[in-house]
Amino acid sequence: MNNRIFMLARQGKWLPTWYIAIIGSFVITIGSGLALQFIFSQQPLATLVPINSLIKSKDVYLSALGQLLNFVITYSTRILLLMVWIKVLEKRPFWTVGLERQAALIKYLRGALLGIFMYGLAVSILALTGCVIIVGGSIDQIGWGALLGIIIILPGWLIQGASEDLVTRGWLLPTMGARYRPWIGVIISALMFTLFHLPALLASGFNILALISGLTVSLFLAAYVLYEGGVWGVIGWHAAWNLAEGNLLASQVSGHDIAGGSLVKLVSVGPTWLTGGTFGPEAGAVVIAIVALGLLIIIALAHRRAAISNENEAAQLLASSSN
């Protein structure tokens, strides 16, 4: 399969084996978390910037600042570790993880709009069926009064979503697909993405639908990357989805409560299999169905594009032979 994302991965001097790639992904992911713990355990930062206390603060702006610091330090470290791996071990430019400049902004914004639309559609269905209700709160925590807090935390979401997609779909998927087979790259990236979310799943009470949802989202985003030939679209989708879930139409994000306030606060009152319960809508059947539909649409679009390409090639061959 001569997909652009695999061609970019082959520009390096070395493609890791599957077990080295899995070990490397754990080192990169766990290393980013350890970096946050280490940096903020050192004095004077531990006293001057008590990040956990900031996140738990009742002041919406302080809590947003704490969440932003958490995101930026943790996930920027993850991106930097991946960058070192790509440049030092594989000896290729970092942009070859699917970050080509051509139409980057358009792809990013298109992905972001799609992410907000898909999450908004899921919430709309849950609301119309009475499975979630809107609740009130203090004016600075919920509603337009929380807008500044949401703006403060926004860069954190941009970095957080990008880091997960770069590791799993910008690196694991193409390197494994280029070394072995494309389907192997898809499966390994999907399994690792789901595995990275397993601690949150276990902490919120094991829900088999959350596991299915993680795999479905992984396959959808893998198909998106392959269709687009890069990761700008999925990075935009992921950041917008998490922002919408955490701070716009707020519920829990993969089992986590998000600081910084929200425009609308949702509470699940319907059955867990539909709403996702304490894990959030991601673990519900509604989100799974919408994401699965998105996956089928991308597959259909890919087949249509391939058919058109084959027809054009056949027409060119016919024209050249008639001449």
Side-chain angles (χ1 to χ4, degrees):
M1 184 177 184
N2 293 322
N3 190 283
R4 180 64 179 169
I5 198 77
F6 299 126
M7 295 172 63
L8 293 174
R10 293 189 183 101
Q11 291 191 21
K13 302 295 184 182
W14 172 65
L15 289 171
T17 57
W18 65 269
Y19 54 88
I20 291 178
I22 289 175
I23 293 172
S25 66
F26 272 112
V27 170
I28 291 169
T29 302
I30 296 173
S32 62
L34 292 176
L36 176 71
Q37 295 178 18
F38 175 77
I39 291 172
F40 282 94
S41 66
Q42 305 302 306
Q43 294 295 347
L45 277 179
T47 302
L48 294 176
V49 189
I51 192 165
N52 288 327
S53 297
L54 286 174
I55 292 174
K56 296 175 183 178
S57 173
K58 293 182 179 180
D59 185 299
V60 66
Y61 307 129
L62 289 178
S63 68
L65 178 61
Q67 192 74 70
L68 174 65
L69 290 172
N70 187 328
F71 280 164
V72 169
I73 293 170
T74 301
Y75 297 108
S76 292
T77 303
R78 184 178 298 181
I79 294 172
L80 289 173
L81 289 173
L82 177 62
M83 186 180 298
V84 170
W85 179 289
I86 295 291
K87 295 180 72 67
V88 175
L89 297 180
E90 298 186 18
K91 301 186 185 304
R92 58 184 171 109
F94 187 63
W95 60 264
T96 58
V97 294
L99 295 175
E100 294 182 284
R101 293 182 181 179
Q102 184 176 5
L105 182 59
I106 293 174
K107 293 174 181 176
Y108 188 94
L109 293 177
R110 183 171 60 201
L113 290 174
L114 180 61
I116 290 177
F117 170 76
M118 290 175 70
Y119 182 73
L121 178 60
V123 168
S124 298
I125 293 172
L126 289 171
L128 289 173
T129 54
C131 291
V132 297
I133 58 173
I134 298 174
V135 297
S138 60
I139 192 170
D140 62 334
Q141 293 283 347
I142 299 175
W144 292 110
L147 185 58
L148 180 56
I150 297 171
I151 293 173
I152 290 173
I153 201 175
L154 175 60
W157 284 124
L158 303 183
I159 297 170
Q160 185 268 344
S163 72
E164 292 186 354
D165 290 310
L166 289 172
V167 171
T168 56
R169 286 166 279 274
W171 174 54
L172 276 177
L173 190 161
T175 53
M176 295 298 93
R179 183 178 178 101
Y180 301 106
R181 295 285 188 275
W183 66 267
I184 293 178
V186 170
I187 289 176
I188 290 178
S189 66
L191 289 176
M192 294 308 295
F193 178 79
T194 305
L195 188 60
F196 291 151
H197 289 79
L198 190 59
L201 171 59
L202 295 175
S204 59
F206 184 77
N207 180 349
I208 189 64
L209 286 180
L211 199 61
I212 295 172
S213 177
L215 289 171
T216 306
V217 169
S218 296
L219 294 174
F220 164 73
L221 294 177
Y224 195 156
V225 167
L226 294 174
Y227 182 76
E228 199 172 71
V231 297
W232 284 117
V234 299
I235 289 175
W237 185 95
H238 202 160
W241 176 282
N242 284 349
L243 173 66
E245 190 173 21
N247 296 104
L248 298 183
L249 303 172
S251 55
Q252 289 188 306
V253 181
S254 300
H256 296 288
D257 287 314
I258 303 301
S262 60
L263 291 184
V264 176
K265 180 66 176 177
L266 302 174
V267 172
S268 299
V269 294
T272 299
W273 68 272
L274 280 175
T275 65
T278 57
F279 194 82
E282 289 174 323
V286 173
V287 165
I288 293 173
I290 289 172
V291 175
L293 178 60
L295 171 61
L296 293 176
I297 290 173
I298 289 179
I299 292 173
L301 289 174
H303 279 294
R304 180 174 178 272
R305 185 168 65 182
I308 292 174
S309 177
N310 291 335
E311 289 175 2
N312 290 338
E313 289 180 5
Q316 290 176 0
L317 288 173
L318 182 62
S320 61
S321 61
S322 63
N323 292 334

